[in-house]
Each structure stands twice: as C-alpha cells, then as structure tokens.
C-alpha cells in the first residue's frame, strides 16, 4: 500500500509536467511548411496586385497570373484545414481546465499549463485567421483578374486595323516585312545548324523511323479493322470502336513522327533557347492536327458508308472528305505563326497580316465546305430518283447550318473590313467548336454503345442464347428471377449511359466556353477547392463526406437485404409464427434497417441524430394533420398481426368483398377474389368494421343437402343411399362423420337433411354439386321421385342466411 501511495503521489506530481510536454510537442508538431505556404501565397497575391496596377496588353497573359492566384488560395485553404483541428484540440483542453475562479489561487502546474495552452491557441488562431484572409483575398484578386481579362478581350475584339484590301495595309507590310524576314531567317539558320549538327546518320535513322511509323499506321489500321469486325459483337459498338480507331491512329502516328524529328534535332546538342520552347510543343500541336484529321475521317467515312455513325448522305461525305486535312493543316499553321511572330518579336503589321491571311483561308475552306454540302443537297432534292432517299433535315440541323453560314460570312466580312481580331476569333472558334462537338458525339456514342453491349439485351440469336444462359447462372447465384435480372441490367445500362453522356456534355460545354471565360485548368482548380466543402446554411457539405455517406447507405442496404432474405427464407420458417407474422416481421425489419441506413448516411454527411430527431418532431405535426389515415392503417396492421382476427390464407367477407387473404402489408391487405382479381383493403377496415371470417375458428366446410321425397318412399333406403354417396366421395371427411336426419313429415312427403364435412369451405360448393348429381342418378335408379312439401318453403326461408354462407353463389376462390 505504501508503494501504491508513493506511485500515486508521483503520478500527481508528474502529470502536469507530462501534459505541458504534450502541449509543447503539439506546438512543435505544427509544421513549418504552414508558414512557408502562407508566405508563398501572400507573395503570389502581392505579385498579382502589382501586375493589376499595370495590366499587360494581351488578355492571354492574365491566364497564368490568375492560375497562380487560385493556387495561392488553394494553399491557404489547405493550411486553414490543417490548423482548424489543432485549434479545436487546444480549445477543448482549455475547456477541460475550466474557467479561472475569482479570488482563488490556482495550482502552479495548472497555471503554467493554462498559460502555455493560451499561447498556443493565440498562435494557431492567428495563423488560422491569416489563412482565411488569404483565401478571401485570392478570391477577390481572381475576380478582378477575370473582369480585367474580359474587358481586355472585348477591347481587343473591337480593334480595327487597315483593311487587307487597302493599299495602305500593303504599303506598311512592305516596309516591315524585310526586318521580319531577317529575324525569321536567323531562326531558320539556327534550326538548320541544329539539323546539320545531328549528322547524316541521325537523319537517315529518323527517315527510317518515319517510314516504319507509316508502315505501322497502315498495318495497324487493317489489324484493328479486322479485330473490330471479328472480335466485337455486331451492333453499334463495333462501329463506334472502329470510329475511335480511325481517330486515334492518325493522332498517335503524327505525334510520334513529330517527336522523332524533334529527337533528331536535339540528338547531339540542345536547341537554342529561342527555338527550344516552340519546337518542344510542336509535337503536341502536330498530334492535335492528326487528331483533327482522324476525327473528320471518322465522322465522314466516305469509303465505308455502312459504318458511318453520323446520319450523313454519301454524296455529302464524298464532297467534304478533303476538309478535315485542310482544317488540321490551317490550325497547326495558325499556332506555328502565332508562336513564330511572338518569338521573333515581329511587327504589328506582319502579325496582323499572317493572322488575317490564315483566318481568310480557313474561313474560305469552311464556306466552300458548306457550299458544297448545300449544292449536293439541292441537286439530290431536284433528282426524283435520289429525293426519296435523302433524309429530311431536322430543325436543329437547319439551325446549325444557318448559324455556320452566318458565322463564316460574318467572319470573312470582318477580316476584309479590318477587324482582324474579331474575324480570326470567330473562324478559329468555329473550327474549335467543330472539333469539340465531333469528339463529344463520338465519345457519347461510344459510352452508350459500350454500356448497352455490356449490360443491355443482346440482339443476335447466338448472343441472345449465351446471354440467356449467363443471365440464368447469374440470377441463380443471386437468387433472382431471370426476367428481373435482365430488367435490372437494362436499367443499369441506361442509367450509366445517361451519366456518362451527361459528363461528356459538361466537358464539351467547359471546352466550348474556355475562350470566353475560365479555361479547363482554372475550372479544375475551382473544382479542387470544392473538396473542402460548401456551406449550405448551417451544414458543411464535403464531397468526400457525401461519397462516404453514399457508400455507407449502399452497404447498409445490402446488409439489410441479405439479413431480410435470411429471416424470410431460413430463420422465420423454423419458428411457430404463421405466414402473416413472418411476412410482417421481415417487412418491419426491412423498414427499420432502411431507416437506420438513412440515419447513418446522414450522420456521415454531418447531420447528427439530434437534428434528425428535430426533423422527426417537425414531421409529427404533418403526421397529425395530413397522415392520419396512414398512421391509422399502420397501427391497424400491428393490431391485426397481434390479435390475429384474420391471417394469410383466411377466407373473409368484408363490405361485399369476399375472397382469400394473400398478404398483410404495413398499410393494406391484399384479398384475392374468386375471379382472380385482387382487392387492396386498408387495414383499418378490418379493425373498425364487421368482418366475416369463414375459416377463422373452424377450417372445415359444411355440405348440406335438403332432400324431399314422397311418404310412400322407404325412409331407411333413402338414408342408406345418401350415406353411401357420402362414403363414396373422396373429399367427404370420415371424421366428423356424415349424418342424415329426417327433418320434417307432412301430408306432401318427407324432408331429409343430410350434412357432411370437407377440408375447406372452398370445397363445399363443388362437393355439394357433385353429390346432387349422384343423388339424382341414384334416386332415378331406385325409382324414387322428389316432391315439394309445403313445409320445405318455410324451412328454406329460415335457413336462407346459413345456406348462403355455406353455399356461395360464385365459385370459391382458388386456394
């Protein structure tokens, strides 16, 4: 005990020191990178503010500046996210110490610990507020840069120079062109020197590589075409895969060839600083040119009309087959001229002339393509033989064609009038829109065809047979009917295809709007900031938390489904519960499990159970006013399953509805009528109204026959005849045994009352009919006639209700 006391006193003495050491370690654990990142973010924002005081002449120069500001804001948000939990931890420790009691001295160790915690809290709070301030400043600075960029862009589009048709334009160009050509010659000499330095052997190797790449391009095209026709199942997926092979092969081949030439230039020595950036990016631009060529050929496919995805007539495809190569060449030439004029610091007149000439050629090419397509359409419509095969032009296609013609004519007019920036922008934007929309169309078709081929129903007989067998195996493994499994697969295919195409549309819109506002890199930078959450009222919605909640809900629902199936098929049948109680138990478990899954999902998002309880209390008001009937039926279902006035399999009659109870649900009960129709009756009807349950107390059915015979008939013979018929019928029960009573005797004759029992009231009608046929046949053989005694009418009137209950007019429902 003494040793324990000493250890206790030692722990009390050492504990404050340990806490103080932990606080110091946590303060030291604060990474120095936080201050460094905040300093870097501040420097980036200050640099941007300085540039905004003297904005650059080109709006494109503001793009890297804005990207840097957004990156600084992301760094500040990351630092704030790192500091926030540490600050909360220190505040929680201070809360554990409690407030300082006025007029009472605090223990020295606790006072030192409190001072250290306050110091750490002040430092963390200052850094946290600094990070938040930098985040707000980055947002404001990025907004100012965007506004300045839009204004500069609009001002640039409105600038007017001398028209290319005027003599003044050419006079200024003749004055400036010699100096520009001299600077171009210097760059060409440097490039030629780099090429000579590589040597003849290197360029022979480069030539061999180019020839090999061309041969591989031709061979790969044939191999991929054969694979898509033989290995891919028939359908649109085969065509869409073939289209994408036509797109990617030229792009990859052109990029590899350009890269081979670039490696030949830098094989011996690196390029000069003036040429290295341009030549380094030229391979990517040439790859994009190959992509444009492949995209155009994949959309047109003039040599394979049956593989064409775009609903385009053959004559139009043949007329436009030259256009993709021309557009790709002009787009690469445009980029090269822009880089070259910027690299040699060319004069304004030369830059404008080069941009204007290339834009004019591109606009004329587009206009010529539109003109050829329109001429081919008009000729086909005038020819009676081809007019019937020409597809009708939908409204959207006519609208797009008209806007394209208007854009081409407007751009050409602007270029000729001197608005080179505006005309060049419209021409280049039209070419960019054609590339983006064509790529989006092929990608959307590939996504739709892929999901439909993988999950959708098959069309060919062989594939349908194999799909049916695979579906049967999968459905058997999942204990699911084959038709339901196919339906789920089709729904999944449509859903995934829709989501994929929606993403393609979003990406296409982002690329189309890039020249007018934020580019893709900036939008992705914005999307990266969403990882830290979006505030909606008092809730903080974080994408990671939402994804976690979805996964939690899906996992819980799967578990609930598995456990419910185990309860329904394995465990509950082994208990003494009847069928209705088993169904109710499994259903109640499913409702409780689904509610628990939803609660856990909301808790994963950040909505606690106390807020869910608050919402439930608010909903109780609505339940009291608008959901009274639902609650009443729910409670009635519980009472029905507890008291069991009716159960599954009972034959009941309620308000003119008579049939078998097939299922007792939470809200209503299903009753199957004699004509196989189903009536849905609210559960409250069974509790608040009079219900006749034929099979509740006794499941046996009564067969009753009233037989009037003359007075001269042998009563013992009649009685024996009826008992023999009862004994001969297979459905008549031996216990309780049948009975024949002499019910009445009068001047007209005797009335026998014969009764027997069958296993179910549903069998009474059919058995009684069969017995009546046998009675008539046996009476006729025994030469016994039937009479109508006077008392029989009164007897039938008294027993009318009972006879109706035992012998319904309609055939009984099927068991």
């Amino acid at each position: 005990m003494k040793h324990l006391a000493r250890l206790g006193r030692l722990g009390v003495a050492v504990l404050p020191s340990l806490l103080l050491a932990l606080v110091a370690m946590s303060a030291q654990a604060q990474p120095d990178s936080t201050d460094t990142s905040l300093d870097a973010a501040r420097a980036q924002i200050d640099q941007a503010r300085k540039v905004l005081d003297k904005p650059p002449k080109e709006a494109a120069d503001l793009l890297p500046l804005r990207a840097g500001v957004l990156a600084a804001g992301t760094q500040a948000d990351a630092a704030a996210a790192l500091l926030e939990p540490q600050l909360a931890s220190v505040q929680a420790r201070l809360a554990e110490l409690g407030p300082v009691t006025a007029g009472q001295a605090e223990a020295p160790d606790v006072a030192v610990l409190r001072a250290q915690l306050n110091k750490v809290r002040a430092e963390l709070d200052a850094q946290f507020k600094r990070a938040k301030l930098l985040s707000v400043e980055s947002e404001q600075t990025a907004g100012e840069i965007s506004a300045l960029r839009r204004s500069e862009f609009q001002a640039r589009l409105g600038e007017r120079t001398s028209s290319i048709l005027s003599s003044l334009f050419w006079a200024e160009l003749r004055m400036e062109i010699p100096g520009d050509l001299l600077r171009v010659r210097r760059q060409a000499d440097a490039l030629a020197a780099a090429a000579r330095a590589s040597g003849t052997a290197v360029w022979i190797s480069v030539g061999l590589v180019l020839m090999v790449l061309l041969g591989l391009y031709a061979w790969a095209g044939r191999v991929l075409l054969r694979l898509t026709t033989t290995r891919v199942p028939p359908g649109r997926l085969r065509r869409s895969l073939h289209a994408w092979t036509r797109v990617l092969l030229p792009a990859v081949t052109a990029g590899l060839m350009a890269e081979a030439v670039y490696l030949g230039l830098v094989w011996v020595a690196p390029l000069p600083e003036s040429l290295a950036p341009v030549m380094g990016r030229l391979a990517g631009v040439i790859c994009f040119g190959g992509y444009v060529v492949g995209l155009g050929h994949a959309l047109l496919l003039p040599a394979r009309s049956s593989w064409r995805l775009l609903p385009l007539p053959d004559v139009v495809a043949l007329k436009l087959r030259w256009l993709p190569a021309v557009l790709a060449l002009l787009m690469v030439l445009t980029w090269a001229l822009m880089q070259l004029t910027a690299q040699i610091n060319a004069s304004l007149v030369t830059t404008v002339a080069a941009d204007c000439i290339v834009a004019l050629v591109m606009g004329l090419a587009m206009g010529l393509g539109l003109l050829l397509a329109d001429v081919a359409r008009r000729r086909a419509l005038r020819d009676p033989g081809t007019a019937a095969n020409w597809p009708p032009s939908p409204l959207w296609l006519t609208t797009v064609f008209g806007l394209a013609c208007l854009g081409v004519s407007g751009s050409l007019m602007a270029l000729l009038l001197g608005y080179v920036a505006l005309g060049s922008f419209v021409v280049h934007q039209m070419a960019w829109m054609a590339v983006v929309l064509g790529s989006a169309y092929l990608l959307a078709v590939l996504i739709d065809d892929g999901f439909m081929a993988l999950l959708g129903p098959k069309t060919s007989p062989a594939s349908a047979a194999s799909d049916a067998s695979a579906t049967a195996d999968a459905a058997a493994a999942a204990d699911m009917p084959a038709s339901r499994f196919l339906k789920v697969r089709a729904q999944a295919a449509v859903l995934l295809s829709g989501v994929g195409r929606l993403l393609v549309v979003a990406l296409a819109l982002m690329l189309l709007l890039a020249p007018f506002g934020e580019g893709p890199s900036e939008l992705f930078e914005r999307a990266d900031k969403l990882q830290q959450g979006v505030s909606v009222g008092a809730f903080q919605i974080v994408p990671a938390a939402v994804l976690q909640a979805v996964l939690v809900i899906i996992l819980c629902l799967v578990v609930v489904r598995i456990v419910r199936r185990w309860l329904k098929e394995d465990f509950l049948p082994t208990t003494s519960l009847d069928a209705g109680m088993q169904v109710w138990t499994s259903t109640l478990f499913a409702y409780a499990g689904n509610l628990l899954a939803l609660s856990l999902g909301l808790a994963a998002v950040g909505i606690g159970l106390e807020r869910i309880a608050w919402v439930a209390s608010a909903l109780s008001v609505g339940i009291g006013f608008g959901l009274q009937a639902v609650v009443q039926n729910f409670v009635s279902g519980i009472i029905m399953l507890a008291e069991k006035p009716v159960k599954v399999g009972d034959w009941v009659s309620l308000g003119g509805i008579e049939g078998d109870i097939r299922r007792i649900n939470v809200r209503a009960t299903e009753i199957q009528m004699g004509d196989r129709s189903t009536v849905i009756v609210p559960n409250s009807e069974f509790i608040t109204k009079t219900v006749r349950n034929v099979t509740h107390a006794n499941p046996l059915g009564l067969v009753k026959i009233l037989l009037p015979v003359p007075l001269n008939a042998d009563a013992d013979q009649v009685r024996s005849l009826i008992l023999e018929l009862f004994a001969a019928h297979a459905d008549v029960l031996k216990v309780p045994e049948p009975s024949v009573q002499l019910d009445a005797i009068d001047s007209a004759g005797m009335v026998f009352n014969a009764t027997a029992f069958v296993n179910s009231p549903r069998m009474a009608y059919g058995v009684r009919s069969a017995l009546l046929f046998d009675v008539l046949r046996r009476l006729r053989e025994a030469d016994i006639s039937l009479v109508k005694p006077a008392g029989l009418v009164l007897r039938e009137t008294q027993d009318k209700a009972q006879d109706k209950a035992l012998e319904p007019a309609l055939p009984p429902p099927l068991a």
Side-chain angles (χ1 to χ4, degrees):
M1 295 298 293
K2 294 181 179 180
H3 293 292
L4 291 176
R6 289 178 182 177
L7 288 175
R9 289 193 297 270
L10 180 62
V12 172
V14 173
L15 183 58
S17 301
L18 290 176
L19 292 176
L20 186 60
L22 289 174
V23 173
M25 290 175 62
S26 64
Q28 293 177 359
Q30 174 65 30
D32 296 335
S33 59
T34 302
D35 292 331
T36 304
S37 61
L38 292 179
D39 293 338
R42 168 55 65 188
Q44 183 68 38
I45 294 175
D46 292 341
Q47 181 183 359
R49 304 298 300 183
K50 292 179 181 179
V51 174
L52 287 178
D53 295 336
K54 296 180 180 180
K57 296 182 180 180
E58 296 292 336
D61 297 337
L62 296 173
L63 287 176
L65 186 65
R66 188 174 184 276
V69 170
L70 290 176
T74 302
Q75 291 179 355
D77 290 334
L82 182 64
L83 291 170
E84 188 174 8
Q86 298 180 8
L87 181 60
S89 177
V90 173
Q91 290 177 347
R93 295 177 186 177
L94 284 172
E96 291 178 359
L97 292 179
V100 179
T101 306
Q104 183 178 356
E106 198 172 24
D109 294 337
V110 176
V112 172
L113 182 60
R114 187 187 299 275
Q116 185 67 28
L117 288 174
N118 285 324
K119 180 181 178 182
V120 174
R121 182 181 65 175
E123 294 176 355
L124 292 176
D125 186 65
Q127 290 179 340
F128 181 74
K129 291 180 179 178
R130 183 187 178 195
K132 286 295 185 181
L133 180 62
L134 287 175
S135 178
V136 174
E137 288 186 7
S138 68
E139 290 287 341
Q140 294 176 351
T141 306
E144 294 180 10
I145 294 175
S146 296
L148 180 61
R149 183 189 172 202
R150 286 192 294 268
S151 61
E152 292 291 337
F153 179 74
Q154 294 172 0
R156 180 175 176 272
L157 289 182
E159 290 180 356
R160 186 176 184 275
T161 60
S162 300
S163 173
I164 194 174
L165 300 178
S166 65
S167 58
L168 179 61
F169 176 84
W170 295 104
E172 293 177 352
L173 183 61
R174 283 193 298 269
M175 293 175 58
E176 299 291 345
I177 197 65
D180 295 333
L181 288 178
L182 180 61
R183 288 188 285 271
V184 171
R185 192 175 298 113
R186 291 173 184 172
Q187 299 292 333
D189 293 340
L191 186 63
R196 286 192 299 269
S198 298
T200 306
V202 172
W203 289 110
I204 291 176
S205 301
V206 171
L208 292 176
V209 170
L210 296 181
M211 294 177 62
V212 170
L213 289 176
L214 289 175
L216 288 176
Y217 169 73
W219 174 80
R222 292 193 296 270
V223 170
L224 291 176
L225 178 61
R226 185 169 62 253
L227 289 177
T228 53
T229 54
T230 57
R231 301 295 182 182
V232 181
R236 289 179 59 93
L237 180 61
R238 177 182 293 180
R239 296 192 296 167
S240 57
L241 286 176
H242 175 259
W244 273 105
T245 56
R246 298 293 297 266
V247 172
L248 297 179
L249 273 178
V252 173
T253 304
L256 291 177
M257 294 176 69
E259 188 66 23
V261 174
Y262 177 75
L263 290 177
L265 291 174
V266 299
W267 191 263
V268 175
L271 291 174
E273 295 183 358
S274 58
L275 290 176
V278 178
M279 299 303 297
R281 292 191 294 266
L282 184 61
V285 177
I286 293 177
C287 179
F288 176 75
Y291 176 83
V292 173
V293 173
L295 178 65
H297 288 166
L299 291 173
L300 296 176
L301 280 179
R304 289 181 173 269
S305 59
S306 60
W307 288 68
R308 188 182 304 131
L309 293 174
L310 200 64
L312 200 65
D314 294 341
V315 61
V316 175
L318 291 173
K319 292 288 185 182
L320 299 181
R321 58 184 176 182
W322 56 270
L323 187 58
V326 173
L327 287 181
L329 177 62
L330 292 175
M331 293 175 77
V332 174
L333 183 61
T334 300
W335 180 88
L337 288 177
M338 289 175 59
Q339 297 295 322
L340 181 62
T341 54
Q343 191 66 35
I344 67 175
N345 196 15
S347 62
L348 178 62
V349 177
T350 304
T351 303
V352 172
D355 193 10
C356 182
I357 291 173
V358 175
L360 275 174
V361 175
M362 187 178 295
L364 290 174
M366 292 181 183
L368 181 59
L370 294 174
L371 180 61
L372 291 176
D374 187 62
V375 170
R377 183 182 66 86
R378 294 179 183 274
R379 287 180 178 176
L381 292 178
R382 284 197 299 265
D383 188 1
T386 59
N389 298 327
W390 192 270
S393 299
L395 179 60
W396 67 269
L397 183 59
T398 305
T399 304
V400 170
F401 184 82
L403 291 177
C405 294
L406 182 63
V408 169
S409 58
S411 62
L412 293 178
M413 186 67 67
L415 290 170
L416 295 178
L417 292 178
Y419 294 95
V420 178
L422 177 61
S424 177
F425 173 77
V426 173
V427 170
H428 294 154
Q429 187 62 19
M430 289 181 61
W432 175 245
M433 289 177 63
V435 173
V436 171
L437 294 179
S439 304
Y441 174 76
L442 289 183
L443 186 58
V445 170
L446 178 64
I447 290 174
D448 183 61
D449 296 343
F451 283 120
M452 290 301 176
L454 292 175
L455 300 176
K458 305 298 186 293
T459 54
S460 63
S463 61
S466 61
D467 183 65
S469 61
T471 301
D473 295 339
D479 196 14
M480 183 185 300
S483 59
R484 183 182 175 189
F485 186 78
L486 288 175
K487 185 176 181 181
V488 171
R489 281 183 50 178
Q491 291 175 350
V494 174
L495 179 61
L496 293 175
S497 173
V499 172
R501 287 184 290 177
L502 184 62
L503 293 177
V504 171
V505 171
L507 180 61
L509 289 177
M510 182 177 64
L511 294 175
L512 290 176
L513 297 177
F516 301 96
E518 297 182 342
S521 59
E522 296 167 322
L523 291 176
F524 285 125
E525 189 76 25
R526 289 280 191 181
D528 184 66
K529 296 174 72 67
L530 294 177
Q531 296 180 359
Q532 303 173 13
V534 178
S535 297
V536 179
F539 301 108
Q540 186 77 10
I541 299 178
V542 182
V546 173
L547 180 60
Q548 180 182 358
V550 172
L551 293 178
V552 167
I553 292 176
I554 293 176
L555 180 61
C556 291
L557 292 179
V558 171
V559 172
V560 169
R561 184 183 182 89
I562 294 174
V563 176
R564 182 191 181 187
R565 180 178 298 174
W566 174 77
L567 286 174
K568 183 178 179 181
E569 299 179 359
D570 297 333
F571 177 72
L572 292 177
T574 62
T575 63
S576 59
L577 300 177
D578 57 12
M581 200 64 186
Q582 293 179 17
V583 173
W584 167 255
T585 303
S586 60
T587 304
L588 188 61
F589 173 79
Y591 276 96
N594 295 335
L595 183 61
L596 179 61
L598 181 60
S599 301
L600 292 177
L602 293 177
V605 176
I607 304 176
L609 294 179
E610 67 280 359
R611 295 184 177 180
I612 298 175
W614 179 83
V615 174
S617 62
L619 288 177
S620 63
V621 180
I623 292 174
F625 286 99
L627 301 178
Q628 294 181 4
V630 176
V631 176
Q632 182 183 10
N633 291 322
F634 180 80
V635 175
S636 299
I638 297 177
I639 296 174
M640 289 170 58
L641 292 169
E643 296 184 355
K644 299 181 180 179
V646 294
K647 60 182 182 298
V648 175
D650 283 352
W651 183 10
V652 298
S653 177
L654 172 66
I657 299 172
E658 187 171 358
D660 293 329
I661 294 181
R662 289 305 182 193
R663 182 177 299 174
I664 302 176
N665 297 319
V666 175
R667 188 196 64 84
T669 299
E670 299 179 7
I671 299 178
Q672 183 176 350
M673 303 287 287
D675 57 355
R676 296 181 179 272
S677 62
T678 301
V679 180
I680 310 298
V681 180
N683 289 333
S684 59
E685 297 288 321
F686 291 91
I687 303 300
T688 60
K689 293 186 179 181
T690 302
V691 181
R692 175 173 171 263
N693 192 337
V694 180
T695 58
H696 177 65
N698 191 349
L700 301 181
L702 177 65
V703 177
K704 181 179 180 181
I705 299 175
L706 292 177
L707 190 64
V709 296
L711 285 174
N712 57 359
D714 188 352
D716 293 332
Q717 182 184 4
V718 174
R719 181 175 180 273
S720 300
L721 184 148
I722 298 175
L723 290 176
E724 289 175 2
L725 292 177
F726 281 160
H729 201 285
D731 292 331
V732 175
L733 298 178
K734 303 301 185 291
V735 178
E737 61 180 359
S739 64
V740 179
Q741 305 293 333
L742 186 57
D743 192 63
I745 300 176
D746 57 14
S747 59
M750 299 177 292
V751 178
F752 289 87
N753 187 356
T755 58
F757 291 91
V758 291
N759 285 320
S760 172
R762 302 175 184 86
M763 302 172 57
Y765 185 85
V767 173
R768 180 173 181 270
S769 176
L771 288 174
L772 288 175
F773 279 108
D774 293 339
V775 166
L776 290 176
R777 179 176 54 79
R778 294 292 299 274
L779 290 177
R780 189 176 298 108
E781 292 176 355
D783 197 18
I784 299 175
S785 62
L786 295 177
V787 296
K788 182 72 171 178
L792 184 59
V793 178
L794 178 61
R795 176 62 177 165
E796 289 179 348
T797 303
Q798 293 174 350
D799 294 344
K800 183 178 181 180
Q802 183 179 359
D803 292 342
K804 182 179 179 181
L806 299 178
E807 302 172 6
L810 292 176
L814 297 177

